[in-house]
Short mmCIF file of all heavy atoms in Angstrom, two decimals:
data_model
loop_
_atom_site.label_atom_id
_atom_site.label_comp_id
_atom_site.label_asym_id
_atom_site.label_seq_id
_atom_site.Cartn_x
_atom_site.Cartn_y
_atom_site.Cartn_z
N LYS A 1 0.84 -1.21 0.00
CA LYS A 1 0.00 0.00 0.00
C LYS A 1 0.87 1.26 0.00
O LYS A 1 0.57 2.22 -0.71
CB LYS A 1 -0.93 0.00 1.22
CG LYS A 1 -2.03 -1.03 1.13
CD LYS A 1 -2.81 -1.06 2.44
CE LYS A 1 -3.82 -2.18 2.48
NZ LYS A 1 -4.54 -2.25 3.76
N ASP A 2 1.94 1.24 0.81
CA ASP A 2 2.83 2.40 0.88
C ASP A 2 3.57 2.63 -0.44
O ASP A 2 3.74 3.78 -0.87
CB ASP A 2 3.85 2.24 2.01
CG ASP A 2 3.24 2.34 3.41
OD1 ASP A 2 2.05 2.73 3.51
OD2 ASP A 2 3.93 2.00 4.38
N ARG A 3 4.04 1.56 -1.08
CA ARG A 3 4.84 1.68 -2.30
C ARG A 3 4.01 1.99 -3.52
O ARG A 3 4.40 2.79 -4.37
CB ARG A 3 5.58 0.37 -2.56
CG ARG A 3 6.98 0.37 -2.17
CD ARG A 3 7.67 -0.84 -2.73
NE ARG A 3 9.01 -0.85 -2.18
CZ ARG A 3 9.92 -1.74 -2.46
NH1 ARG A 3 9.65 -2.72 -3.27
NH2 ARG A 3 11.10 -1.67 -1.93
N TRP A 4 2.88 1.27 -3.67
CA TRP A 4 2.14 1.34 -4.92
C TRP A 4 0.74 1.93 -4.79
O TRP A 4 0.07 2.10 -5.80
CB TRP A 4 2.07 -0.05 -5.55
CG TRP A 4 3.43 -0.61 -5.84
CD1 TRP A 4 4.37 -0.09 -6.67
CD2 TRP A 4 4.00 -1.79 -5.27
NE1 TRP A 4 5.50 -0.87 -6.66
CE2 TRP A 4 5.31 -1.93 -5.81
CE3 TRP A 4 3.56 -2.75 -4.37
CZ2 TRP A 4 6.14 -2.98 -5.49
CZ3 TRP A 4 4.41 -3.79 -4.04
CH2 TRP A 4 5.69 -3.91 -4.59
N GLY A 5 0.31 2.23 -3.59
CA GLY A 5 -1.01 2.84 -3.39
C GLY A 5 -2.13 2.07 -4.06
O GLY A 5 -2.25 0.86 -3.88
N ALA A 6 -2.91 2.76 -4.88
CA ALA A 6 -4.06 2.14 -5.53
C ALA A 6 -3.67 1.09 -6.56
O ALA A 6 -4.50 0.28 -6.97
CB ALA A 6 -4.91 3.22 -6.20
N GLU A 7 -2.40 1.09 -6.96
CA GLU A 7 -1.92 0.07 -7.92
C GLU A 7 -1.58 -1.25 -7.25
O GLU A 7 -1.26 -2.22 -7.93
CB GLU A 7 -0.69 0.58 -8.66
CG GLU A 7 -0.96 1.66 -9.66
CD GLU A 7 0.29 1.99 -10.45
OE1 GLU A 7 1.22 2.56 -9.84
OE2 GLU A 7 0.33 1.66 -11.65
N PHE A 8 -1.65 -1.32 -5.93
CA PHE A 8 -1.33 -2.56 -5.22
C PHE A 8 -2.53 -3.48 -5.25
O PHE A 8 -3.62 -3.12 -4.82
CB PHE A 8 -0.91 -2.26 -3.78
CG PHE A 8 -0.57 -3.48 -2.97
CD1 PHE A 8 0.36 -4.39 -3.42
CD2 PHE A 8 -1.20 -3.70 -1.76
CE1 PHE A 8 0.67 -5.52 -2.67
CE2 PHE A 8 -0.90 -4.81 -1.00
CZ PHE A 8 0.04 -5.73 -1.46
N LEU A 9 -2.33 -4.70 -5.75
CA LEU A 9 -3.41 -5.66 -5.92
C LEU A 9 -3.52 -6.67 -4.78
O LEU A 9 -4.55 -7.31 -4.62
CB LEU A 9 -3.25 -6.42 -7.24
CG LEU A 9 -3.22 -5.51 -8.47
CD1 LEU A 9 -2.85 -6.31 -9.71
CD2 LEU A 9 -4.56 -4.82 -8.65
N GLY A 10 -2.42 -6.87 -4.01
CA GLY A 10 -2.48 -7.78 -2.89
C GLY A 10 -1.30 -8.71 -2.79
O GLY A 10 -0.29 -8.56 -3.48
N VAL A 11 -1.46 -9.71 -1.92
CA VAL A 11 -0.44 -10.72 -1.65
C VAL A 11 -1.03 -12.09 -1.92
O VAL A 11 -2.09 -12.43 -1.39
CB VAL A 11 0.04 -10.66 -0.18
CG1 VAL A 11 1.04 -11.78 0.12
CG2 VAL A 11 0.65 -9.30 0.15
N ARG A 12 -0.35 -12.86 -2.76
CA ARG A 12 -0.74 -14.25 -2.95
C ARG A 12 0.07 -15.10 -2.01
O ARG A 12 1.30 -15.10 -2.06
CB ARG A 12 -0.44 -14.72 -4.38
CG ARG A 12 -1.46 -14.41 -5.37
CD ARG A 12 -1.34 -15.20 -6.67
NE ARG A 12 0.02 -15.43 -7.15
CZ ARG A 12 0.30 -16.25 -8.17
NH1 ARG A 12 -0.65 -16.91 -8.79
NH2 ARG A 12 1.55 -16.40 -8.56
N LEU A 13 -0.59 -15.81 -1.12
CA LEU A 13 0.07 -16.78 -0.25
C LEU A 13 0.07 -18.10 -1.00
O LEU A 13 -0.97 -18.76 -1.11
CB LEU A 13 -0.67 -16.90 1.09
CG LEU A 13 -0.12 -17.94 2.06
CD1 LEU A 13 1.32 -17.61 2.44
CD2 LEU A 13 -0.99 -17.99 3.30
N CYS A 14 1.22 -18.46 -1.56
CA CYS A 14 1.35 -19.65 -2.41
C CYS A 14 1.89 -20.80 -1.57
O CYS A 14 3.09 -20.90 -1.33
CB CYS A 14 2.30 -19.35 -3.57
SG CYS A 14 1.79 -17.96 -4.60
N ALA A 15 1.00 -21.66 -1.13
CA ALA A 15 1.38 -22.84 -0.32
C ALA A 15 1.70 -23.97 -1.29
O ALA A 15 0.80 -24.68 -1.75
CB ALA A 15 0.25 -23.20 0.62
N VAL A 16 2.97 -24.14 -1.60
CA VAL A 16 3.36 -25.06 -2.67
C VAL A 16 3.09 -26.52 -2.36
O VAL A 16 2.90 -27.32 -3.28
CB VAL A 16 4.83 -24.84 -3.12
CG1 VAL A 16 4.99 -23.48 -3.75
CG2 VAL A 16 5.80 -25.03 -1.98
N HIS A 17 3.06 -26.92 -1.10
CA HIS A 17 2.74 -28.31 -0.76
C HIS A 17 1.24 -28.51 -0.57
O HIS A 17 0.79 -29.64 -0.42
CB HIS A 17 3.50 -28.76 0.49
CG HIS A 17 4.97 -28.98 0.25
ND1 HIS A 17 5.50 -29.32 -0.96
CD2 HIS A 17 6.02 -28.89 1.09
CE1 HIS A 17 6.81 -29.44 -0.86
NE2 HIS A 17 7.15 -29.18 0.38
N GLU A 18 0.49 -27.44 -0.54
CA GLU A 18 -0.97 -27.48 -0.40
C GLU A 18 -1.58 -26.43 -1.32
O GLU A 18 -2.20 -25.47 -0.85
CB GLU A 18 -1.37 -27.18 1.05
CG GLU A 18 -0.73 -28.07 2.09
CD GLU A 18 -0.98 -27.53 3.48
OE1 GLU A 18 -0.25 -26.62 3.90
OE2 GLU A 18 -1.93 -28.02 4.12
N PRO A 19 -1.41 -26.56 -2.64
CA PRO A 19 -1.80 -25.49 -3.56
C PRO A 19 -3.23 -24.99 -3.39
O PRO A 19 -3.48 -23.79 -3.52
CB PRO A 19 -1.60 -26.11 -4.94
CG PRO A 19 -0.56 -27.16 -4.73
CD PRO A 19 -0.81 -27.69 -3.35
N TYR A 20 -4.16 -25.87 -3.11
CA TYR A 20 -5.55 -25.43 -3.02
C TYR A 20 -5.89 -24.77 -1.69
O TYR A 20 -7.00 -24.32 -1.48
CB TYR A 20 -6.51 -26.58 -3.36
CG TYR A 20 -6.43 -26.88 -4.84
CD1 TYR A 20 -5.70 -27.94 -5.33
CD2 TYR A 20 -7.04 -26.03 -5.76
CE1 TYR A 20 -5.59 -28.18 -6.69
CE2 TYR A 20 -6.94 -26.25 -7.12
CZ TYR A 20 -6.21 -27.33 -7.58
OH TYR A 20 -6.10 -27.54 -8.93
N GLN A 21 -4.91 -24.65 -0.81
CA GLN A 21 -5.07 -23.86 0.42
C GLN A 21 -4.50 -22.46 0.24
O GLN A 21 -4.52 -21.65 1.15
CB GLN A 21 -4.37 -24.56 1.60
CG GLN A 21 -4.99 -25.89 1.97
CD GLN A 21 -6.47 -25.74 2.31
OE1 GLN A 21 -6.86 -24.86 3.07
NE2 GLN A 21 -7.29 -26.59 1.72
N SER A 22 -3.98 -22.18 -0.94
CA SER A 22 -3.38 -20.88 -1.24
C SER A 22 -4.47 -19.82 -1.33
O SER A 22 -5.59 -20.10 -1.75
CB SER A 22 -2.60 -20.97 -2.54
OG SER A 22 -1.56 -21.92 -2.41
N ARG A 23 -4.10 -18.60 -0.95
CA ARG A 23 -5.08 -17.53 -0.86
C ARG A 23 -4.53 -16.22 -1.45
O ARG A 23 -3.34 -16.00 -1.51
CB ARG A 23 -5.41 -17.26 0.60
CG ARG A 23 -5.79 -18.51 1.37
CD ARG A 23 -7.05 -18.31 2.13
NE ARG A 23 -7.39 -19.36 3.05
CZ ARG A 23 -7.97 -20.50 2.73
NH1 ARG A 23 -8.23 -20.77 1.50
NH2 ARG A 23 -8.29 -21.38 3.64
N LEU A 24 -5.48 -15.37 -1.81
CA LEU A 24 -5.16 -14.00 -2.22
C LEU A 24 -5.65 -13.07 -1.13
O LEU A 24 -6.83 -13.09 -0.76
CB LEU A 24 -5.86 -13.66 -3.54
CG LEU A 24 -5.69 -12.20 -3.98
CD1 LEU A 24 -4.24 -11.92 -4.34
CD2 LEU A 24 -6.60 -11.90 -5.16
N HIS A 25 -4.73 -12.26 -0.59
CA HIS A 25 -5.05 -11.25 0.41
C HIS A 25 -5.10 -9.91 -0.32
O HIS A 25 -4.09 -9.46 -0.86
CB HIS A 25 -3.98 -11.22 1.50
CG HIS A 25 -3.93 -12.47 2.32
ND1 HIS A 25 -4.38 -12.51 3.61
CD2 HIS A 25 -3.52 -13.72 2.02
CE1 HIS A 25 -4.24 -13.73 4.09
NE2 HIS A 25 -3.71 -14.48 3.13
N SER A 26 -6.27 -9.31 -0.36
CA SER A 26 -6.46 -8.04 -1.08
C SER A 26 -6.29 -6.85 -0.15
O SER A 26 -6.53 -6.97 1.06
CB SER A 26 -7.85 -8.00 -1.70
OG SER A 26 -7.98 -9.04 -2.64
N PRO A 27 -5.92 -5.70 -0.68
CA PRO A 27 -5.74 -4.49 0.14
C PRO A 27 -6.98 -4.09 0.92
O PRO A 27 -6.87 -3.46 1.97
CB PRO A 27 -5.35 -3.42 -0.87
CG PRO A 27 -4.81 -4.15 -2.03
CD PRO A 27 -5.54 -5.45 -2.08
#
């Protein structure tokens, strides 16, 4: 949010051993 402001889309938590537990955290 600090770096990109409105251009920030979020964080993808990529759980490589449990791919379908992976999530997108939005601003």
